Amino acid sequence: MTDLVRRILVTSALPYANGHIHLGHLVEYIQTDIFVRFQKLRGHQALYLCADDTHGTAIMIRARAEGRGERELIAAMREAHLADFGGFQIDFDHYGSTDSEANRTHCGEIWQSLRNRGLVTTRDVQQLYDTTAGVFLADRFVRGTCPRCQTADQYGDSCEQCGAAYTPADLVDPVSTLSGTRPEVRSAEHLFVTLEQMHGFLNDWTQRSGALDPRIANYLAGHFLGEPLRDWDISRPAPYFGFEIPDAPGHYWYVWFDAPIGYLAATSEWCAAHGDSFDAWWRRDGAAPTAEIHHFIGKDITYFHTLFWPAMLEAAGLALPKRVHVHGFLTVNGQKMSKSRGTFLLARTYLDHLDPGMLRYYYAAKLSGGIDDLDLNLEEFAAKGNADLVGKVVNLASRTARWLEQTGLAAQYPDDGGLFATAAADGAAIAEAYEACDFARAMRTIMQAADRANAYVDAEQPWKLAKAGPESAAKLQEVASVSLNLFRQIAVYLAPVLPVFAVQAGELVGGPITSWNESQRPLTGQPVGTFRSLMRRIEPAQIEALLADSLKLSGTPPTHPTPSSQPGTKGTTSMEQHAAPSDSGEPLAAEPLAPECTIDDFTKIDLRVARVVAAEEVPEAKKLLRLTISLGGDATRTVFAGIKGFHTPESLVGRLVVVVANLAPRQMKFGLSEGMVAAASGAGATGVYLLSPDSGALPGMRLH
RNA sequence: GGCAGCGUAGCUCAGUUGGUUAGAGCACCGGCUUCAUAAGCCGGGUGUCGCCGGUUCAAGUCCGGCCGCUGCUACCA
């Protein structure tokens, strides 16, 4: 089959050491792992490399908050990450860390290349300096009074009250959160990469190299490459958890500089451990690179991997990616993962309740290599795993292995009507789909083989042969041998997706699966082990337990067993639901109750009756109406309310509404909004319903 | 509003360079089977392929214009 042994270096994006792995992360790691396992099964030399992304301000702040050093924090998170990945059978060839000596070395080399090519420039940036702590202060480390609305205790970059944006130097009475002293304005030098000098190269690489999906290339052309590329600020002054820049003491490489270089460092570390050569993977010798480089990333970090990173590699004379595989985000039951809905699913929580193979298969069945978001519909997840893996695939072995325990496989492969040969021929198409990361297509083709195999068993009725007695024994052995061979063939095809299942299938019959080629020849005469459960069905209770645990972890009590809340489709309108005699549970299910609050919490919010005295369209606004409301007497407020399209200005004037009267003013594009009008709304834009007090209520009355 | 993407059976989707009566899985209904983890097999679809127009011998597939939805962004206080 395959002609040459390819050398394929594959990476997933480095997970940040500031949080745990969740099912969204796993879309990427499972996808990458399947790709790598497939390549290895085909006989290619593939390396799956990854690392923890450990540097940056967030880590530093978190470590301080936890009262421990950064390295202690990242070591603990590394353990947790590795345990999660292991649980999902993600098989890295090497898992490094951006906080390694190898990475420091590679950062230095790339840096020197940028210097040599004249791509580094410096520019002064005005920053506040803490004379007591002796450090420049990032925006987050400064608080002070807003220069615009005079609100105290605001961060250095923007005001939470009026929304004004400014620099820390603009703050009135600034205070350093590190020392509590008043910082002074100093000018600090930052280092920049003048990306514009690489513009021609980036145009060419993004549009013509074939490394990118056309949609991604188009996005880059439209958003960035159509105008001069801005300089990239790649240094941060101390305090910063990271690597100090060797020729610029006091400056540290920004985390997004050293993170992708972690791919190089991981390669070096793996090579050191295996006696291989880094240069053979990354160095460009003449026109033809010796290895293929594949990056798998989420669409949120496209910019870094398709502009900065190739520019860095190009400047350093290193090999460019053959392909950057960009995938979408994970949604759960059609919506973003949500802690309050209990659908923020951590890897660990999943593993407490369900089989990782089921998720690997589900993702495989939904991934087609595009950048579309992937929806984890929990009902479909259970149905698909149960029907395909348990009902079709495992069932093949489960229903026939027992008849071969004594005799083993038939000595000669029987006439199966061409079933094995057909599925063997399908191998080329399945491999092609794997290669293109269209795993969904591969799974469909494999399941068709399973369908044909089950139909065969049904037609041959081996259970009748078993009852018929000794004269049917040979025929029984033949039928069961066909069935088990088809089963093993499918196990080979599924091995990249379900490695544990593949091992167990091999234990049952035929030994370890080591090569894709094993799908091409039936086995004969081999012993058959005792069938034992290979994969268990997903029970609804397990999914409920998963969701309940996820809710607990987010600190929200489970309000009720989560029904399968299909997002409302166009069939029923809100109006119809109003008329229904019994109310649907859908709105509550769509937005479960918030965590319990105390009466003190509630009294912080001053809700008042108010009268709309004026209402007008804001022509340029899509959702907003400008309301003038009266709290009685001459106390009036201007409020922008997002109710355009649901209410006309004329219908509002004169009516009573409920407002949040002590809400901090908010600067909006069309003016300052001085409160919020209370309204009910469901998930999605199903409607907005203003609250009205009973008649007799007067403006200014408070809600108790 | 800007940018991008998507609109095919109740649901999730497949439809390769335009080419026979538009498909799969799930769900649902009927029948069969009982070896198997309440698994399996057979049968059952009058779908305006979002709408309108265009190109073509031929369009779900290409082009244009609308409508709707989603994501990012913006004004969701």
Side-chain angles (χ1 to χ4, degrees):
Chain A
M1 38 161 252
T2 330
D3 26 2
L4 290 166
V5 173
R6 291 153 59 195
R7 287 160 60 78
I8 308 171
L9 190 153
V10 188
T11 70
S12 291
L14 314 188
Y16 200 45
N18 191 31
H20 289 286
I21 302 300
H22 55 63
L23 297 198
H25 289 112
L26 285 166
V27 171
E28 177 165 315
Y29 299 99
I30 287 174
Q31 178 177 212
T32 315
D33 188 62
I34 291 171
F35 182 76
V36 173
R37 285 180 187 272
F38 165 73
Q39 299 297 356
K40 289 178 176 172
L41 195 62
R42 298 280 280 180
H44 300 305
Q45 185 185 8
L47 275 190
Y48 185 7
L49 303 174
C50 197
D52 259 11
D53 180 17
T54 58
H55 291 154
T57 309
I59 298 289
M60 186 171 67
I61 289 172
R62 179 170 174 150
R64 287 186 186 184
E66 294 180 5
R68 54 177 172 172
E70 288 94 351
R71 296 208 158 78
E72 194 183 332
L73 168 66
I74 65 177
M77 193 56 80
R78 175 188 174 82
E79 289 304 308
H81 284 178
L82 285 172
D84 290 342
F85 288 134
F88 278 94
Q89 300 148 25
I90 310 295
D91 187 21
F92 299 114
D93 287 281
H94 183 73
Y95 195 83
S97 164
T98 57
D99 193 51
S100 67
E101 280 312 305
N103 202 39
R104 187 194 294 274
T105 301
H106 280 289
C107 286
E109 288 170 4
I110 298 276
W111 182 245
Q112 197 55 53
S113 300
L114 294 171
R115 285 278 200 200
N116 293 344
R117 303 254 317 225
L119 290 164
V120 178
T121 187
T122 60
R123 191 182 312 151
D124 284 351
V125 174
Q126 296 263 306
Q127 267 196 302
L128 291 176
Y129 184 79
D130 184 325
T131 52
T132 307
V135 293
F136 281 96
L137 297 168
D139 297 351
R140 292 262 122 189
F141 299 139
V142 187
R143 295 187 76 94
T145 299
C146 171
R148 175 171 173 167
C149 72
Q150 310 301 316
T151 304
D153 200 30
Q154 295 304 304
Y155 277 118
D157 52 354
S158 64
C159 173
E160 292 173 310
Q161 290 291 328
C162 73
Y166 42 75
T167 68
D170 297 329
L171 281 174
V172 180
D173 299 329
V175 175
S176 164
T177 59
L178 297 180
S179 65
T181 60
R182 181 190 178 103
E184 61 183 52
V185 177
R186 284 196 189 177
S187 193
E189 192 179 69
H190 277 229
L191 298 109
F192 294 80
V193 172
T194 52
L195 218 52
E196 178 58 14
Q197 291 182 59
M198 307 291 283
H199 202 140
F201 158 74
L202 288 171
N203 267 338
D204 195 59
W205 184 78
T206 60
Q207 306 303 310
R208 279 181 285 279
S209 69
L212 302 178
D213 183 293
R215 289 187 269 183
I216 300 291
N218 190 27
Y219 160 78
L220 294 171
H223 279 77
F224 302 104
L225 297 168
E227 54 194 54
L229 294 163
R230 274 176 284 182
D231 292 347
W232 182 31
D233 184 352
I234 45 75
S235 78
R236 294 292 183 273
Y240 197 75
F241 180 55
F243 293 138
E244 192 168 22
I245 302 176
D247 56 11
H251 296 279
Y252 290 74
W253 283 308
Y254 175 47
V255 59
W256 261 111
F257 178 79
D258 73 43
I261 294 173
Y263 299 143
L264 306 181
T267 311
S268 283
E269 289 172 344
W270 181 87
C271 286
H274 293 81
D276 206 326
S277 150
F278 172 86
D279 287 357
W281 292 96
W282 283 97
R283 197 63 62 183
R284 262 189 281 181
D285 290 322
T290 56
E292 301 172 23
I293 294 160
H294 294 255
H295 296 304
F296 285 81
I297 62 167
K299 63 185 181 184
D300 53 331
I301 56 175
T302 298
Y303 178 60
F304 295 100
H305 280 81
T306 57
L307 294 177
F308 295 158
W309 178 233
M312 288 160 70
L313 290 171
E314 173 72 8
L318 295 176
L320 294 162
K322 177 186 169 79
R323 186 80 184 178
V324 179
H325 305 264
V326 183
H327 62 80
F329 298 144
L330 180 73
T331 57
V332 176
N333 286 339
Q335 297 180 289
K336 283 187 197 175
M337 289 207 293
S338 151
K339 288 185 178 178
S340 65
R341 274 191 288 270
T343 55
F344 193 88
L345 305 173
L346 291 176
R348 276 187 310 189
T349 319
Y350 177 99
L351 291 170
D352 286 343
H353 298 284
L354 289 156
D355 179 350
M358 287 292 188
L359 191 72
R360 291 179 63 104
Y361 177 72
Y362 183 78
Y363 281 176
K366 300 275 275 190
L367 283 167
S368 54
I371 58 175
D372 304 323
D373 288 350
L374 186 159
D375 185 40
L376 169 57
N377 179 299
L378 291 168
E379 258 181 55
E380 186 195 23
F381 163 69
K384 199 156 188 60
N386 290 345
D388 289 358
L389 296 182
V390 178
K392 289 177 183 173
V393 176
V394 172
N395 194 224
L396 270 180
S398 168
R399 66 195 304 201
T400 53
R402 52 183 292 214
W403 290 307
L404 296 174
E405 266 184 59
Q406 305 302 320
T407 65
L409 294 171
Q412 192 176 352
Y413 189 69
D415 178 9
D416 64 1
L419 282 178
F420 192 95
T422 300
D426 283 347
I430 295 167
E432 202 177 308
Y434 269 122
E435 183 70 45
C437 292
D438 190 351
F439 303 152
R441 177 195 295 275
M443 295 307 108
R444 280 196 301 274
T445 308
I446 294 168
M447 285 310 140
Q448 282 167 9
D451 285 340
R452 292 192 299 265
N454 274 303
Y456 168 84
V457 173
D458 212 70
E460 297 295 335
Q461 306 184 57
W463 54 92
K464 287 192 177 167
L465 298 172
K467 282 176 187 161
E471 67 274 16
S472 298
K475 177 66 178 167
L476 176 62
Q477 189 193 19
E478 288 187 358
V479 171
S481 294
V482 168
S483 175
L484 266 200
N485 259 299
L486 296 174
F487 166 75
R488 182 173 159 101
Q489 188 178 39
I490 288 165
V492 173
Y493 289 149
L494 285 175
V497 178
L498 299 173
V500 169
F501 164 74
V503 168
Q504 292 172 335
E507 286 168 358
L508 178 69
V509 60
I513 292 169
T514 58
S515 163
W516 185 264
N517 287 336
E518 295 183 45
S519 63
Q520 302 299 300
R521 288 180 312 274
L523 300 172
T524 53
Q526 299 207 14
V528 172
T530 302
F531 177 81
R532 56 189 176 84
S533 179
L534 298 175
M535 203 160 246
R536 267 185 303 194
R537 297 176 56 80
I538 298 168
E539 300 298 337
Q542 292 175 279
I543 290 177
E544 282 169 24
L546 168 67
L547 294 174
D549 270 12
S550 296
L551 265 180
K552 270 186 229 157
L553 287 172
S554 71
T556 307
T559 47
H560 49 75
T562 305
S564 59
S565 54
Q566 277 304 111
T569 43
K570 298 156 197 163
T572 58
T573 68
S574 309
M575 298 299 281
E576 284 163 353
Q577 284 176 9
H578 268 274
S582 69
D583 292 323
S584 155
E586 222 171 271
L588 180 60
E591 187 173 356
L593 298 180
E596 186 174 281
C597 79
T598 64
I599 186 70
D600 291 336
D601 292 331
F602 175 71
T603 53
K604 284 182 194 163
I605 300 166
D606 196 338
L607 296 169
R608 299 281 172 158
V609 174
R611 189 181 301 282
V612 179
V613 296
E616 56 186 312
E617 298 273 2
V618 183
E620 314 92 291
K622 188 170 153 190
K623 299 179 182 173
L624 297 178
L625 294 181
R626 179 191 285 113
L627 308 181
T628 304
I629 58 169
S630 166
L631 290 171
D634 45 15
T636 62
R637 300 276 186 85
T638 299
V639 173
F640 288 89
I643 55 175
K644 183 175 184 173
F646 299 104
H647 295 86
T648 61
E650 307 79 63
S651 70
L652 292 170
V653 175
R655 73 170 281 177
L656 294 178
V657 294
V658 173
V659 298
V660 182
N662 62 337
L663 187 68
R666 174 87 176 179
Q667 184 62 42
M668 301 183 66
K669 185 173 176 181
F670 309 107
L672 193 65
S673 186
E674 303 169 309
M676 181 166 126
V677 177
S681 61
T686 51
V688 173
Y689 307 94
L690 289 177
L691 300 189
S692 297
D694 282 348
S695 60
L698 297 171
M701 282 182 173
R702 183 168 184 185
L703 274 68
H704 295 100

